[in-house]
Amino acid sequence: MARKLWATRGLAALATGAMAVSLTACGGGGAGGGAGGGAGDGEEGGLVGVAMPTETYERWIADGDAVKTGLEEAGYEVDLQFAGDNIPTQQQQIDAMINKGAEALIIASIDGTALGSQLEAAAAADIPVISYDRLIRDSENVDFYVTFDNYEVGVQQGTSLLTGLGILDENGEEAADASEGPFNVELFAGSPDDNNAGFFFDGAMSVLQPYIDDETLVVPSGQTDFGTVAIQRWEQERAQSRMEDLLTSTYTKGDVNVDGVLAPADVISRGIITALQNSGYGKGDLAMPVITGQDAEAASAKLIVDGDQYSTIFKDTRLLAEQAVTAATAYLEGNEPEANDTETYDNGPIVVPSYLLPTVIVTADNLQAELVDSGYLTEEEVASGQVDE
């Protein structure tokens, strides 16, 4: 898979700081909250450890490369590691970063509960820890969290499913000529060891549940609780297998068909779409259901253009990387980054100060403006479904 991705394309966004927060000292504690160790000495050129979960999905490669580029432009050395979705590997990588003398850590965890000893070591060395997109749980040694408004992402997914079914209009309001249904839908959620997955699902269900209650939406499988519909590790193959099982157990083509699927991420959407296509959906009179997604990956952008996926949620990872660089730079200069949310993200022991970024629903109608015109993807990448080398 391509390694370069958007690293170079994100430079302008990283350099201009279009959404950067001011680096004001605002007090507080946590690992590395004050001077000590490598952080807070005001010197440039220190080492920053960046731990990403996997290179399997294009978004994590893009995130890692963009964070690395931004930190290097700010004058820091970077140790960027991808863990192959293997928890012991990520633990070992973070241990190595600490032993190398990292002065700050930016961590997108595989399992947000599995890094306790690494965070204790970081705290003992006064190394600030920035949790990247996935909240690190069960530790007081997390200083800051950069992410998107994850509950709102779920709301947007639920809203786009209803819009695609014709229940809501493009503004998210009840459509004047709303389709009455009932519509057969199935629900999918993300990995249960990813704290974000619960926010996505809860946000989506806040929108969908009233329509399930009044039977505008029907879930023929009866599977509606998070634990049942969650897909471990966000794996495409698991999503495909579950959709195949649902089709076999619950649906009879021509009698009971799938009208919509709540999918929490593009990688899961693609597994669902493969299962549906293999079962004859998208051929003849059997239309593809309305299928949601998240991450605006090139492969799914092409599926949206082709009419196989209805929507995705665009989380501009260039801005997320910028925010991580802003936070790390603040700590390394002896300050603290400014949070715009100090109430939502309780990781167990503490509420972690956070910076939340906005997201956008993308469909075929606005894909060009949001993804291509913004420079996130090229027209060639959308057409091919692959990110350029």
Side-chain angles (χ1 to χ4, degrees):
M1 189 169 292
R3 288 295 307 275
K4 187 169 78 171
L5 296 167
W6 302 297
T8 54
R9 276 181 246 159
L11 295 183
L14 289 165
T16 57
M19 296 190 65
V21 294
S22 60
L23 303 180
T24 55
C26 46
D41 57 15
E43 295 180 4
E44 290 191 353
L47 178 66
V48 179
V50 179
M52 291 286 155
T54 184
E55 287 180 289
T56 303
Y57 308 133
E58 65 184 55
R59 76 142 294 189
W60 290 117
I61 303 172
D63 284 62
D65 287 347
V67 172
K68 182 176 186 290
T69 298
L71 287 167
E72 289 176 341
E73 286 198 326
Y76 298 103
E77 275 188 83
V78 180
D79 181 6
L80 169 62
Q81 299 292 331
F82 296 87
D85 258 335
N86 183 274
I87 294 169
T89 297
Q90 187 166 65
Q91 292 169 333
Q92 292 162 11
Q93 289 172 342
I94 295 170
D95 285 334
M97 292 171 186
I98 294 170
N99 292 333
K100 288 178 185 176
E103 298 182 0
L105 294 172
I106 298 171
I107 302 172
S109 62
I110 298 169
D111 182 337
T113 66
L115 299 175
S117 64
Q118 286 71 36
L119 299 188
E120 288 178 6
D126 287 327
I127 301 171
V129 173
I130 298 163
S131 186
Y132 186 95
D133 200 31
R134 295 177 172 179
L135 182 64
I136 299 172
R137 297 192 53 81
D138 300 341
S139 175
E140 63 184 4
N141 300 312
V142 182
D143 294 271
F144 203 72
Y145 182 35
V146 292
T147 190
F148 298 90
D149 188 336
N150 295 312
Y151 187 87
E152 179 61 21
V153 168
V155 169
Q156 290 175 327
Q157 289 174 333
T159 299
S160 67
L161 180 60
L162 295 175
T163 301
L165 291 170
I167 298 169
L168 301 181
D169 62 22
E170 63 276 7
N171 298 315
E173 305 292 337
E174 294 283 346
D177 55 348
S179 303
E180 295 182 1
F183 298 99
N184 296 322
V185 300
E186 293 297 337
L187 310 175
F188 283 70
S191 188
D193 56 9
D194 182 345
N195 190 70
N196 289 353
F199 279 96
F200 299 147
F201 189 70
D202 290 346
M205 292 306 290
S206 74
V207 175
L208 299 179
Q209 192 63 55
Y211 294 94
I212 294 173
D213 291 342
D214 71 11
E215 298 184 349
T216 301
L217 301 180
V218 177
V219 184
S221 70
Q223 298 178 9
T224 60
D225 64 287
F226 177 84
T228 302
V229 306
I231 301 297
Q232 186 71 28
R233 295 281 188 272
W234 303 88
E235 288 183 358
Q236 181 172 331
E237 294 78 8
R238 290 177 188 263
Q240 179 178 338
S241 178
R242 178 170 181 260
M243 191 70 236
E244 289 169 347
D245 290 344
L246 290 171
L247 291 169
T248 301
S249 64
T250 307
Y251 292 89
T252 304
K253 287 181 289 185
D255 182 16
V256 180
N257 296 323
V258 187
D259 298 311
V261 184
L262 174 71
D266 287 344
V267 64
I268 289 177
S269 306
R270 293 195 293 273
I272 292 166
I273 289 168
T274 299
L276 289 164
Q277 289 175 332
N278 289 344
S279 189
Y281 283 82
K283 301 172 185 176
D285 295 330
L286 191 57
M288 285 295 291
V290 175
I291 302 171
T292 64
Q294 177 183 189
D295 291 330
E297 293 184 342
S300 289
K302 182 180 189 303
L303 289 171
I304 290 172
V305 172
D306 292 345
D308 295 319
Q309 182 171 326
Y310 177 72
S311 65
T312 188
I313 306 302
F314 178 31
K315 297 160 54 176
D316 194 335
T317 56
R318 296 168 299 184
L319 300 179
L320 185 62
E322 177 190 328
Q323 237 16 85
V325 172
T326 296
T329 301
Y331 285 123
L332 291 164
E333 291 180 348
N335 303 311
E336 291 191 7
E338 183 177 325
N340 64 5
D341 186 304
T342 57
E343 298 179 356
T344 304
Y345 289 94
D346 186 337
N347 78 344
I350 61 170
V351 176
V352 183
S354 307
Y355 196 93
L356 310 185
L357 291 159
T359 55
V360 179
I361 299 172
V362 171
T363 65
D365 292 337
N366 66 343
L367 187 147
Q368 176 75 29
E370 294 294 342
L371 302 186
V372 177
D373 294 349
S374 72
Y376 195 75
L377 294 173
T378 67
E379 291 184 355
E380 292 76 17
E381 288 167 340
V382 173
S384 68
Q386 295 181 337
V387 176
D388 292 339
E389 293 284 342

